[in-house]
Amino acid sequence: MADEAIAAGRSAPTTTTENHELSRRRIGVAHIVFFVVAASSPLTVAAGGLPLSYATTGVVGIPVIYLVLATVLALFSGGYAAMSRHISNAGAFYAYVAQGLGRIPGVGASFVALVAYNAMQTGLYGLFGFAAAGVITAELGVDIPWWVASLAALLLIAFLGYRRIDLNARVLAVLLICESIIVVVFDASQVASAPAGLTMDAFSWSALTTGAVGAGFCWVMASFMGFESGAIYSEECRDPRRTVGRATYIAVGVIGVFYAFTAWAMGIGAGTGRVIDQAGEHGPDLLFVLGSDAMGPTFGRIGAVFLVTAVFAALLSFHNAVARYFFSLGREGVLPRGLGRTHPRHGSPYVGSVTQTLIAAVVLFVFAIVGDDPTETLFNWFTNLGALGVILLLVITSVSVIGFFLRDPRGENGWGRIVAPSLAALALAVILVLAIINFHALLGTPPDSMLNWLIPSLVLIAGIIGLGYGWWIKENRSDTYHRIGQGTSAPTPLP
């Protein structure tokens, strides 16, 4: 019966009350692309990321930066895809680092990942609450606190996270298609109207080098967050040896080209010589202002509604990623074993899902009491913390790919084993340094603000605690130590 169910593409029913395996063969390339692109959220980038990147950096050549970073991340994807053909583990970065650099560094990476992805997911509740409360007030005339809207989203996401992965994929597909249509319509309207005419000046060298280019790379890098999450679903996809790599390449290409075009279209609509001033004046409303000028006020109203659903899609995507990290670490005993339990019917990492929900609820409670602007504090602080952590993980993972294949090439070519990950590690390390140096530009704080070093230090602290905990496991829990990074596979010799 179980074999027949698997052959038909369904998960075999489970009769035990405790299960430690995710549902199998539920999703394919398209589903993972939906998860990945939804995390980066096209409409959120277009409405928030692009205007802020223009306004805070003064760089007209933002479209060029998207293409440059897409190239860098394609290099990263070369090694990432090669490693995904040999490792199938919901822990993704954690498993790759453990099998590439050693078990103790793997635990260190897992702690950075937990902090980064929890911060990204939780921080988005600030933006969601602000946007949703604004729409409700504008359309219904009902004034509600931002945290009420955020709490409603949290409960719905908790329900979806408890259910099957393919249900989540279908929800994300619908939301992502809707927000992408809005962005495409906006792009077309700006190109069609083009008050100053069509020009490719934004792709010139002078456009790229004028302004705070380092901060521009940091802002644009944040737009790609989530592109790497395909490997998290490797245990649930139909063909992990091919699906993860293909989905990652597709996601990087789609995000890079789509966002570069949107950045160019926004510059065309505002006027290449005026887009910096326009972005500074209107901020996140720039997309709706330009869209309404070209198509009428209805676009602004519809766009505001779909911005809410776009942020919800990103919340759901990051929630699923965090739940699977908890599951992977619990299954291997690095964290309490209960986190490694999956639902007997849905095959979802429901304990990890509930844990992530509780963490987010606590943070929402604290920020609701404090009463600060949720976009300037909760959203801005937490998402930038998360982005910095993910960049660090990308650097470490690139080095891990090299270490993994040095011990055994496993039939992979030199490009995927050595060249691509080496180039990616160097380029991403430069971006990491730029992000740290320009962190005040990301936060919008004065250069001497305590937050500029306090928030980045949390990533470092998480990694150090993880390394110390990994060493403690080695000295005191040998059985657990040998399971680190192995997933459902038998323990193998690692550094």
Side-chain angles (χ1 to χ4, degrees), residues 386-411:
L388 193 66
V390 172
I391 297 172
L392 174 60
L393 288 169
L394 294 177
V395 175
I396 297 172
T397 302
S398 294
V399 178
S400 300
V401 173
I402 299 170
F404 179 76
F405 288 114
L406 279 178
R407 292 195 299 275
D408 183 355
R410 297 173 182 250

Side-chain angles (χ1 to χ4, degrees), residues 92-477:
F93 284 144
Y94 152 68
Y96 287 12
V97 175
Q99 297 209 35
L101 297 181
R103 291 179 168 89
I104 293 177
V107 177
S110 75
F111 275 47
V112 173
L114 285 176
V115 169
Y117 283 109
N118 269 295
M120 290 290 290
Q121 203 272 350
T122 305
L124 284 168
Y125 279 113
L127 179 59
F128 179 89
F130 177 82
V135 168
I136 291 172
T137 300
E139 299 299 327
L140 303 179
V142 179
D143 192 8
I144 65 170
W146 69 268
W147 56 266
V148 173
S150 295
L151 181 60
L154 182 142
L155 294 175
L156 181 54
I157 286 171
F159 168 77
L160 291 171
Y162 193 84
R163 307 286 292 186
R164 294 197 320 252
I165 184 68
D166 49 332
L167 172 62
N168 285 257
R170 287 195 292 270
V171 171
L172 284 174
V174 172
L175 297 179
L176 180 61
I177 290 171
C178 290
E179 66 173 294
S180 297
I181 289 173
I182 291 292
V183 178
V184 169
V185 169
F186 168 80
D187 292 348
S189 72
Q190 301 309 294
V191 173
S193 60
L198 297 178
T199 174
M200 301 301 290
D201 289 349
F203 293 94
S204 66
W205 178 253
S206 60
L208 176 63
T209 54
T210 302
V213 181
F217 272 91
C218 298
W219 273 112
V220 172
M221 187 66 195
S223 302
F224 283 89
M225 289 299 101
F227 87 95
E228 76 296 333
S229 59
I232 294 173
Y233 306 99
S234 59
E235 294 185 41
E236 298 162 275
C237 62
R238 299 187 184 104
D239 185 3
R241 287 182 59 86
R242 295 180 176 86
T243 301
V244 172
R246 289 176 181 174
T248 303
Y249 276 122
I250 292 171
V252 168
V254 168
I255 292 172
V257 175
F258 188 16
Y259 292 1
F261 185 83
T262 300
W264 173 73
M266 182 173 286
I268 291 296
T272 304
R274 301 180 61 243
V275 66
I276 304 297
D277 293 335
Q278 290 281 304
E281 178 182 351
H282 297 292
D285 287 332
L286 180 60
L287 179 134
F288 304 119
V289 170
L290 295 176
S292 297
D293 288 345
M295 294 175 283
T298 301
F299 174 83
R301 296 177 64 184
I302 295 174
V305 172
F306 279 109
L307 176 60
V308 175
T309 63
V311 180
F312 181 87
L315 279 165
L316 180 58
S317 182
F318 279 113
H319 174 86
N320 276 281
V322 175
R324 280 153 182 79
Y325 263 105
F326 277 131
F327 161 78
S328 180
L329 293 166
R331 176 178 58 187
E332 296 173 14
V334 176
L335 293 182
R337 293 280 294 175
L339 289 169
R341 291 170 57 188
T342 54
H343 196 279
R345 183 156 57 93
H346 302 305
S348 61
Y350 74 104
V351 180
S353 174
V354 170
T355 302
Q356 200 286 322
T357 299
L358 291 176
I359 291 172
V362 170
V363 174
L364 282 178
F365 178 75
V366 171
F367 276 84
I369 292 177
V370 172
D372 287 339
D373 185 322
T375 57
E376 293 183 2
T377 54
L378 178 56
F379 172 68
N380 200 14
W381 295 356
F382 277 57
T383 54
N384 279 303
L385 168 63
L388 193 66
V390 172
I391 297 172
L392 174 60
L393 288 169
L394 294 177
V395 175
I396 297 172
T397 302
S398 294
V399 178
S400 300
V401 173
I402 299 170
F404 179 76
F405 288 114
L406 279 178
R407 292 195 299 275
D408 183 355
R410 297 173 182 250
E412 297 290 342
N413 59 44
W415 172 258
R417 291 188 293 111
I418 304 296
V419 179
S422 297
L423 294 174
L426 290 173
L428 290 166
V430 171
I431 293 170
L432 177 63
V433 172
L434 288 174
I436 295 172
I437 294 174
N438 294 276
F439 207 69
H440 65 280
L442 299 178
L443 293 180
T445 53
D448 59 350
S449 173
M450 180 178 66
L451 292 174
N452 299 336
W453 60 265
L454 180 60
I455 293 178
S457 68
L458 295 177
V459 173
L460 180 62
I461 291 171
I464 293 172
I465 292 174
L467 290 172
Y469 181 53
W471 177 84
W472 181 87
I473 292 175
K474 180 179 180 180
E475 296 297 317
N476 296 277
R477 294 164 54 189

